[in-house]
């Protein structure tokens, strides 16, 4: 099926049978990593409940779930400050929550409520949270890559050490603007981190049918942008790579690309697994990737290091689920936006 | 191959009719191929292209990377070299990324190279809105593109046109933007046998005759006009409906003839109001007709000048339905009662 020029360069990183072992955890990191595990659980269960709201017909706006990809958002977020400028894409629930957005404001937005993070004007695909550095997500593929580049230009003009971050997928690297932005950032030394969540798919199409290689970081090499390719389901690997690249960017080393190889457990849009939809998406792959689950590997690592007990983990998960169930209740009770918002928000300046 | 009409009296949907157009073109014209995102997916473009890759092979029904600009440009290039490609943009909003190849290239080459180069490319854009999809997944940008000389713009509304305007677009030697609308996909009718007609001879058509008021629409809004005419008929009001079909080049003759009889014009447009397509229709009538022939001021029903919202409550206010059209027509006709 794949074309003649195809060559997998990711090797084990793209193979779900590898990288399945529990993470190796130092005792000193225990408390901090329990916090990050909690953050990943909040994302997982918020998205799971959003999926249930879709099934129940209560959420109608298209919802692209990143279940299975939580480690990327959480790992990068640990390296960011609220003064940094982060941009997302159509699959940005995790980015929003990892940076500090609340489940209630996300769920309310998904339900189109005025208490939502974009005041009910955006839905799942248009999120915002500037207080914690999230400057917006939009579903036009590739659109926030140049925008983050511009935010980096602004940061450079500001003269501080803030960075800009664009989260996008492997599909977005097929848009010309990705390459234009990397080149622009490189020649102007802009403080931007391009984070590619390479989940090996763009909607129904396997990367094999779209590109001659599955390794996105080769583009960074072509543009002479520093890059690292890591297991995106390993929180510690993502964190270490983000740390190395962002530290360099803050010190003036110019742009960088972080490629995190991962996989989405659900379909392109909506809560189903959608194994019938992808040209190369098989139940066997989905099941194998679930064994490489980023939450499972972190939890097992914490257990193995004796930082937490099985009972404590179960209690944590129950606590998170209860919190998100409450968030859903609150969001469902909230009001819809006032109809005047339709006209009042078209322009920032009013006569 | 599959281009025979279905047995008499079985109805075909608009989505299936588009597919029938592809089947006809791919079976009878070797120089036709289709390229765009989602062509190997069972769900991406509704039921309008199902299994064409299996019928005609993946070499002629090509699914692509997420590269709207390159794919559109590649279709233009192949068209300049003797092919008749159809490039599919599953959502018109995404086609904006391909604007250079459509506006600066395809639309211009014939004219600026002295008539020596032809680019018989068909660009199929799908309007797909509602369902809380929001500002970047809802746009109907037909007016924008109808502004461009050299680019023919067609919007099928009827089931037969869904197929036949596609066939005519592809066989036309000019670049054509063919715009279909997901809200029409379940529209059903008996599909006559396929016919290949020159696109240059196609234009606005009276789809329902009446004497009291002229309702004009394009694509989905034309169907709304037909539904509104039904509502009005039940009240004893007799509306004429014109389906514009071809937005560029625009020939207002059929509309002028109708309005000179009815004296009332209401244009229904699924796009925005400012600098929009409805304004063009009204201007064409206003400048050609003696003002004394108008019994009331022409009227346009459009989207409000705001991006599409997501929240269902705002969406309900945003989009036009047949009831809005009927209400506007009623108001215009009520002026008649008070005047006489
Ligand atoms: C310009 C544009 N083209 C096409 C689409 C349709 N689309 C939405 S998401 C998507 C897949 C993008 O894949 P990737 O960037 O890998 O992100 P993922 O969905 O895998 O997270 C596509 C093709 C779009 N939204 N915008
Ligand atoms: Mg992807």
């Amino acid at each position: 099926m794949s074309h003649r020029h195809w060559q997998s360069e990711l090797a084990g990183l793209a193979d779900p049978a590898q990288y399945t072992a529990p993470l190796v955890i130092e005792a000193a990191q225990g408390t901090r990593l329990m916090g990050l595990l909690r953050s990943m659980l909040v994302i997982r269960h918020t998205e799971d409940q959003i999926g249930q709201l879709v099934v129940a017909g209560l959420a109608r706006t298209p919802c692209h779930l990143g279940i299975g990809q939580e480690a990327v958002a959480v790992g990068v977020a640990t390296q960011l400050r609220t003064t940094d400028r982060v941009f997302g894409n159509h699959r940005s629930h995790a980015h929003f929550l990892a940076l500090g957005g609340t489940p209630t404001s996300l769920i309310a937005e998904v339900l189109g409520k005025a208490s939502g993070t974009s005041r009910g004007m955006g839905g799942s695909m248009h999120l915002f949270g500037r207080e914690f550095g999230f400057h917006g997500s939009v579903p036009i593929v590739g659109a926030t890559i140049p925008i983050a580049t511009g935010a980096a230009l602004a940061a450079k003009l500001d003269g501080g050490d803030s960075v800009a971050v664009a989260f996008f997928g492997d599909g977005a690297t097929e848009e010309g603007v990705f390459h234009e932005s990397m080149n622009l950032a490189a020649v102007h030394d802009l403080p931007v981190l391009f984070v590619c969540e390479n989940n090996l798919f763009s909607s129904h199409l396997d990367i094999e049918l779209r590109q001659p290689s599955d390794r996105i970081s080769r583009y960074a090499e072509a543009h002479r942008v520093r890059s690292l390719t890591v297991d995106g389901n390993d929180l510690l690997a993502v964190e270490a790579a983000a740390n190395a690249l962002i530290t360099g960017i803050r010190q003036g080393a110019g742009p960088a690309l972080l490629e995190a190889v991962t996989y989405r457990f659900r379909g392109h849009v909506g809560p189903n697994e959608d194994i019938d939809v992808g040209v190369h998406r098989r139940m066997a792959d989905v099941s194998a990737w679930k064994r490489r689950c980023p939450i499972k590997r972190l939890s097992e690592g914490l257990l193995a290091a004796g930082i937490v007990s099985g009972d404590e983990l179960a209690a944590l998960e129950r606590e998170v689920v209860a919190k998100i169930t409450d968030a859903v209740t609150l969001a469902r009770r909230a009001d819809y936006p006032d109809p005047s918002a339709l006209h009042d928000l078209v322009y920032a300046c009013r006569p | 191959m599959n281009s025979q009409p279905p047995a008499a009296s079985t109805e075909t949907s608009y989505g299936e009719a588009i597919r029938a157009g592809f089947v006809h073109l791919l079976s009878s014209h070797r120089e036709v191929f289709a390229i765009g995102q989602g062509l190997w997916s069972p769900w991406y473009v509704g039921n309008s292209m199902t299994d064409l890759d299996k019928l005609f092979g993946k070499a002629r029904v090509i699914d692509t990377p997420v590269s709207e600009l390159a794919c559109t440009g590649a279709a233009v290039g192949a068209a300049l070299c003797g092919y008749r490609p159809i490039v599919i943009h599953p959502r018109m909003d995404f086609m904006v990324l391909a604007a250079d190849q459509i506006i600066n290239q395809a639309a211009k080459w014939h004219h600026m190279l002295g008539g020596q180069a032809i680019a018989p490319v068909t660009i199929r854009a799908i309007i797909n809105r509602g369902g809380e999809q929001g500002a970047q997944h809802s746009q109907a940008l037909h007016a924008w593109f109808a502004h461009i000389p050299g680019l023919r713009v067609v919007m099928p509304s009827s089931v037969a046109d869904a197929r036949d305007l596609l066939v005519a677009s592809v066989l036309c030697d000019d670049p054509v933007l063919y715009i279909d609308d997901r809200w029409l996909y379940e529209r059903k009718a008996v599909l006559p046998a396929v016919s290949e007609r020159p696109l240059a001879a196609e234009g606005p058509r009276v789809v329902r005759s009446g004497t009291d008021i002229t309702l004009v629409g394009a694509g989905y809004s034309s169907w709304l006009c037909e539904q509104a005419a039904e509502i009005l008929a039940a009240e004893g009001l007799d509306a004429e409906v014109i389906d514009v079909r071809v937005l560029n080049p625009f020939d207002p003759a059929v509309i002028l003839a109708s309005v000179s009889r009815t004296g009332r014009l209401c244009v229904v447009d699924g796009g925005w109001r400012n600098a929009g397509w409805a304004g063009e229709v009204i201007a064409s009538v206003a400048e050609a007709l003696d003002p004394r022939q108008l019994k009331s001021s022409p009227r346009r029903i459009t989207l409000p000048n705001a991006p599409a919202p997501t929240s269902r409550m705002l969406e309900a206010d945003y989009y036009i339905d047949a009831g809005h059209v009927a209400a506007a027509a009623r108001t215009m006709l009520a002026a008649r009662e008070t005047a006489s």
Side-chain angles (χ1 to χ4, degrees):
Chain A
M1 189 75 188
S2 58
H3 46 89
R4 177 160 89 73
H5 299 287
W6 167 255
Q7 192 188 349
S8 174
E9 296 180 82
L10 287 176
L13 281 179
D15 175 3
Q18 299 187 40
Y19 298 91
T20 53
L23 303 188
V24 178
I25 285 164
E26 296 166 28
Q29 293 288 312
T31 316
R32 199 180 71 84
L33 291 178
M34 281 304 293
L36 298 185
L37 175 66
R38 185 173 194 285
S39 180
M40 285 165 71
L41 285 169
V42 166
I43 296 169
R44 171 74 51 100
H45 287 287
T46 302
E47 291 211 290
D48 184 65
Q49 297 224 14
I50 288 173
Q52 293 176 35
L53 290 167
V54 172
V55 173
L58 293 167
R60 205 180 298 161
T61 192
C63 292
H64 303 80
L65 306 178
I67 291 180
Q69 306 187 184
E70 297 88 349
V72 186
V74 173
V76 174
T78 60
Q79 304 305 308
L80 296 173
R81 309 169 181 162
T82 55
T83 45
D84 292 326
R85 302 106 196 255
V86 183
F87 297 85
N89 62 356
H90 56 288
R91 200 179 302 286
S92 267
H93 297 166
H95 311 140
F96 174 86
L97 294 170
L99 287 165
T102 65
T104 318
S105 66
L106 174 62
I107 296 165
E109 190 56 45
V110 166
L111 295 176
K113 300 299 183 76
S115 59
T117 184
S118 303
R119 303 186 183 162
M121 298 304 284
S124 161
M125 306 194 291
H126 316 87
L127 306 174
F128 192 75
R130 199 169 37 212
E131 323 87 80
F132 43 87
F134 194 66
H135 286 245
S137 60
V138 298
I140 294 292
V141 169
T144 55
I145 300 175
I147 291 174
T149 304
L153 174 60
K156 185 184 172 191
L157 294 171
D158 286 349
D161 66 352
S162 289
V163 303
V165 178
F167 282 100
F168 53 89
D170 46 303
T173 69
E174 291 151 18
E175 297 285 10
V177 75
F178 164 66
H179 302 273
E180 297 180 31
S181 302
M182 283 230 284
N183 184 56
L184 182 67
V187 295
H188 288 286
D189 242 349
L190 302 179
V192 54
L193 178 68
F194 301 105
V195 182
C196 181
E197 293 183 65
N198 183 358
N199 61 12
L200 311 170
F201 275 86
S202 167
S203 73
H204 60 297
L205 279 194
D206 190 298
I207 194 163
E208 261 184 68
L209 300 169
R210 301 181 283 117
Q211 299 199 21
S213 159
D214 50 5
R215 190 174 64 89
I216 297 300
S217 58
R218 71 192 193 280
Y219 295 125
E221 289 150 18
H223 291 288
R224 307 195 67 180
V225 163
R226 289 173 305 132
S227 69
L228 289 170
T229 297
V230 298
D231 173 10
N233 288 15
D234 176 340
L235 177 74
L236 300 176
V238 173
E239 205 181 21
N243 176 271
L245 296 174
I246 293 172
T247 304
I249 296 172
R250 290 202 204 281
Q251 289 167 353
L257 179 132
L258 170 57
E259 175 181 15
V261 181
T262 184
Y263 198 83
R264 55 171 161 70
F265 294 174
R266 307 296 178 94
H268 169 63
V269 60
N272 302 327
E273 284 175 327
D274 278 2
I275 39 156
D276 50 332
V277 169
V279 174
H280 277 180
R281 191 173 154 91
R282 291 166 289 251
M283 199 58 218
D285 295 330
V286 178
S287 308
W289 277 96
K290 283 186 178 169
R291 289 191 285 277
R292 191 170 153 177
C293 170
I295 294 181
K296 175 171 164 285
R297 284 163 69 203
L298 177 59
S299 309
E300 288 174 359
L302 289 162
L303 279 170
I307 289 160
V308 68
S309 71
D311 286 350
E312 284 164 338
L313 276 182
L316 172 66
E317 190 148 6
R318 275 197 306 276
E319 181 251 311
V320 166
V321 171
K323 183 185 142 135
I324 293 161
T325 308
D326 289 347
V328 170
T329 309
L330 265 180
R332 287 189 60 186
R333 274 197 212 124
D335 293 328
Y336 286 104
D338 191 89
S340 63
L342 181 64
H343 293 284
D344 290 352
L345 295 174
V346 180
Y347 300 100
C349 305
R350 279 180 239 157
Chain B
M1 278 174 91
N2 232 341
S3 50
Q4 294 308 309
S9 88
T10 43
E11 296 207 320
T12 304
S13 72
Y14 182 99
E16 292 163 346
I18 296 173
R19 187 176 177 282
F22 277 103
V23 169
H24 173 78
L25 286 160
L26 287 161
S27 344
S28 14
H29 297 276
R30 277 183 22 187
E31 67 279 21
V32 173
F33 68 88
I35 181 168
Q37 282 168 54
L39 269 51
W40 300 344
S41 156
W43 54 272
Y44 224 62
V45 282
N47 57 357
S48 70
M49 298 192 73
T50 313
D51 287 343
L52 291 178
D53 57 330
K54 299 190 179 73
L55 268 177
F56 298 100
K58 286 183 159 58
R60 287 178 77 205
V61 179
I62 307 168
D63 204 332
T64 73
V66 197
S67 310
E68 291 79 10
L69 179 55
C71 293
T72 307
V76 173
L80 289 167
C81 294
Y83 284 84
R84 293 185 180 275
I86 308 165
V87 48
I88 290 96
H89 293 286
R91 197 182 279 281
M92 196 172 206
D93 314 60
F94 309 158
M95 187 177 79
V96 171
L97 278 73
D100 170 60
Q101 288 296 328
I102 301 171
I103 297 172
N104 293 331
Q105 311 309 330
K108 306 285 195 288
W109 276 52
H110 185 258
H111 189 265
M112 74 187 178
L113 298 177
Q116 302 170 94
I118 63 161
V121 58
T122 297
I123 301 139
R124 174 180 172 210
I126 304 177
I127 299 173
N128 184 352
R129 50 201 159 152
E132 300 195 333
Q133 298 182 92
Q136 300 181 334
H137 279 58
S138 301
Q139 296 172 94
L141 300 171
H142 47 278
W144 236 34
F145 289 94
H147 185 62
I148 308 300
L151 180 67
R152 293 183 187 271
V153 179
V154 306
M155 285 180 86
S157 177
S158 73
V159 173
D161 272 352
R163 180 194 62 196
D164 295 342
L165 284 181
L166 180 67
V167 171
S169 298
V170 173
L171 299 182
C172 172
D173 281 348
D174 294 312
V176 183
L177 177 61
Y178 167 101
I179 304 172
D180 59 277
D181 191 320
R182 291 291 285 263
W183 280 351
L184 283 163
Y185 278 30
E186 294 313 313
R187 186 172 191 186
K188 287 200 162 86
V190 175
L191 197 57
V194 65
S195 65
E196 295 185 354
R197 295 194 300 264
L199 183 62
E202 299 296 325
R205 187 185 278 168
V206 175
V207 290
R208 177 191 181 109
S209 40
T211 52
D212 293 336
I213 184 169
T214 304
L215 303 178
V216 178
Y220 180 71
S221 72
S222 176
W223 194 27
L224 288 182
C225 290
E226 289 184 57
Q227 293 166 25
E230 294 285 331
I231 299 173
L232 294 167
E235 302 165 15
L237 302 172
D238 191 17
E240 177 144 305
V241 177
I242 295 174
D243 176 11
V244 166
R245 303 171 72 239
V246 181
L247 279 68
N248 193 42
F250 177 49
D251 178 1
V254 172
I255 301 171
L256 290 173
S258 172
V259 180
S260 62
R261 277 186 288 104
T262 63
R264 293 181 183 84
L265 171 64
C266 177
V267 186
V268 186
D269 185 1
W272 290 298
R273 192 176 190 84
N274 190 48
W277 171 73
E280 179 59 39
V281 175
I282 291 175
S284 303
V285 170
E287 71 187 359
L289 233 56
D290 183 330
R292 284 167 299 188
Q293 288 178 279
L294 288 175
K295 296 176 189 155
S296 77
S297 304
R299 183 152 176 184
R300 56 186 150 157
I301 303 175
T302 66
L303 291 184
N305 285 330
T310 43
S311 191
R312 62 197 67 183
M313 294 301 165
L314 301 187
E315 242 184 10
D317 283 350
Y318 188 71
Y319 291 112
I320 304 161
D321 63 27
H324 295 134
V325 180
R330 235 176 258 128
T331 320
M332 290 172 74
L333 287 162
R336 164 188 67 173
E337 261 79 70
T338 34
S340 56

